[in-house]
Amino acid sequence: MPEPAPPDARLAQWRARVEATLAAALPAADTSPQRLHAAMRHAALDGGKRMRPLLVYATGSAFGCDAAALDHAAAAVELIHAYSLVHDDLPAMDDDALRRGKPTVHVAFGEATAILAGDALQALAFELLAQAPLPAPARVAMLQELAVAAGARGMCGGQALDIDATGQWQRDRSEVLPVATMANHRGEIHSDPASALERLHALKTGALLRAAVRLGALAAGADASTRERLDRFADALGLAFQIRDDLLDIEGDSATLGKTAGKDAAQVKATFPALLGIDASRARLQALRAAMEQALTPLGERTEVLAALGRKAIDRDR
């Protein structure tokens, strides 16, 4: 049996697979309604880290699933992510003009088309996942998993909490909160703002990353104890991914990030550096790195690509 390719080579192969699957699944830009179709392709193609589809491939392949059986799930979770970015960038949300190094969809195509493009990307995700070449029980379980992760108990719920928390932070002159509070939409104060912020991001960012891991595990038929360890990995990954995003918003530049730097501070967003400070946020990242390794170690060398993705989430510069 040939030796498996090193992690970076496998990641490159999987990126190529998901790009091809997305390009084939998205409607052609020259078919009617052209503006909508062009906006969908603008949002979903030619950019992004593809972390979520890579997690699908890395998990599924670790437990014996062929990449061809994972293509639909990998593309579906990326379509959900792409739709969320389109809506997140709208004037009613973050009002951003730059995404993945190019104009955001509402800037390029208009706000109404951007809303429709996001809606259509979400619908396409579930259509594509329903067509996955897997047994029907696995497909149904995967559809449910993705729906929960995308909805009020996941990403949308987290976004709502983020909106409620925006502007609630009060900074001292050093821009670090010595004592912080977070209020929900009813004005109720959380006495433990760090836990509240972790819950917010476990939904807004972590739910879809966890779903990506779970989709791969479901496709491969991983057992319950394995799925529990994968959940622990994914939970730590989701929080680490968000803390790194928060730090990059402070430390990065727009050209490298491919999106507007400094937006979190300008909008008084609920972020880990605002609450904990930069040094404590970096320390939290390292603790999460250890938690990811601890979750995966008992599963052996087959999870080496998952482990590599965890490290990339922490070490990335965009």
Side-chain angles (χ1 to χ4, degrees):
M1 180 179 294
E3 286 290 319
D8 283 349
R10 278 180 277 175
L11 293 174
Q13 292 166 2
W14 293 335
R15 280 194 193 93
R17 291 193 71 93
V18 77
E19 293 293 342
T21 304
L22 288 167
L26 287 158
D30 59 357
T31 60
S32 180
Q34 288 94 335
R35 188 174 183 82
L36 173 62
H37 292 169
M40 293 170 68
R41 297 182 76 86
H42 180 92
L45 297 177
D46 305 322
K49 295 172 283 296
R50 305 305 194 207
M51 174 64 77
R52 291 150 192 84
L54 291 177
L55 287 169
V56 175
Y57 286 118
T59 307
S61 66
F63 298 97
C65 194
D66 186 75
L70 298 166
D71 288 337
H72 288 69
V77 74
E78 184 65 12
L79 288 169
I80 293 291
H81 178 54
Y83 122 72
S84 77
L85 298 181
V86 174
H87 283 188
D88 194 47
D89 290 335
L90 287 168
M93 295 282 193
D94 284 355
D95 193 14
D96 219 329
L98 187 67
R99 174 68 68 179
R100 294 176 171 174
K102 56 189 180 183
T104 50
V105 176
H106 73 273
V107 169
F109 295 91
E111 189 172 345
T113 298
I115 294 169
L116 291 174
D119 292 344
L121 289 168
Q122 180 180 203
L124 180 60
F126 290 103
E127 177 185 351
L128 196 61
L129 186 54
Q131 298 168 353
L134 292 164
R139 277 184 284 129
V140 170
M142 293 164 78
L143 286 164
Q144 181 180 17
E145 189 64 54
L146 188 58
V148 170
R153 289 184 284 166
M155 185 178 66
C156 286
Q159 180 70 4
L161 291 173
D162 191 31
I163 291 169
D164 291 343
T166 297
Q168 296 292 337
W169 305 101
Q170 298 296 321
R171 294 188 177 93
D172 66 10
R173 291 182 183 178
S174 68
E175 297 199 349
V176 176
L177 285 167
V179 178
T181 58
M182 283 181 63
N184 65 16
H185 67 286
R186 292 186 294 275
E188 297 166 340
I189 300 298
H190 293 278
S191 59
D192 184 358
S195 294
L197 187 57
E198 288 197 9
R199 178 173 180 267
L200 185 165
H201 289 304
L203 298 176
K204 181 184 176 183
T205 302
L208 202 57
L209 290 165
R210 184 169 56 250
V213 172
R214 287 181 172 179
L215 291 180
L218 287 167
D223 61 43
S225 64
T226 296
R227 294 199 306 271
E228 190 273 335
R229 284 204 164 273
L230 291 171
D231 273 353
R232 286 166 53 191
F233 163 78
D235 288 342
L237 171 65
L239 191 55
F241 195 92
Q242 184 59 52
I243 293 174
R244 186 62 183 145
D245 255 10
D246 290 351
L247 288 167
L248 286 171
D249 187 74
I250 297 169
E251 300 169 342
D253 61 86
S254 298
T256 302
L257 295 175
K259 60 182 179 180
T260 307
K263 289 281 287 188
D264 291 345
Q267 296 178 341
V268 198
K269 283 278 190 178
T271 70
F272 286 92
L275 178 60
L276 304 176
I278 290 175
D279 289 343
S281 296
R282 288 175 177 157
R284 186 79 174 98
L285 267 184
Q286 297 313 311
L288 291 165
R289 183 195 296 268
M292 285 188 277
E293 292 174 356
Q294 185 178 39
L296 293 183
T297 296
L299 299 176
E301 293 183 359
R302 57 186 170 175
T303 60
E304 66 171 339
V305 185
L306 274 177
L309 285 170
R311 292 190 294 272
K312 286 178 183 292
I314 288 176
D315 298 333
R316 63 195 168 93
D317 61 2
R318 63 183 180 93

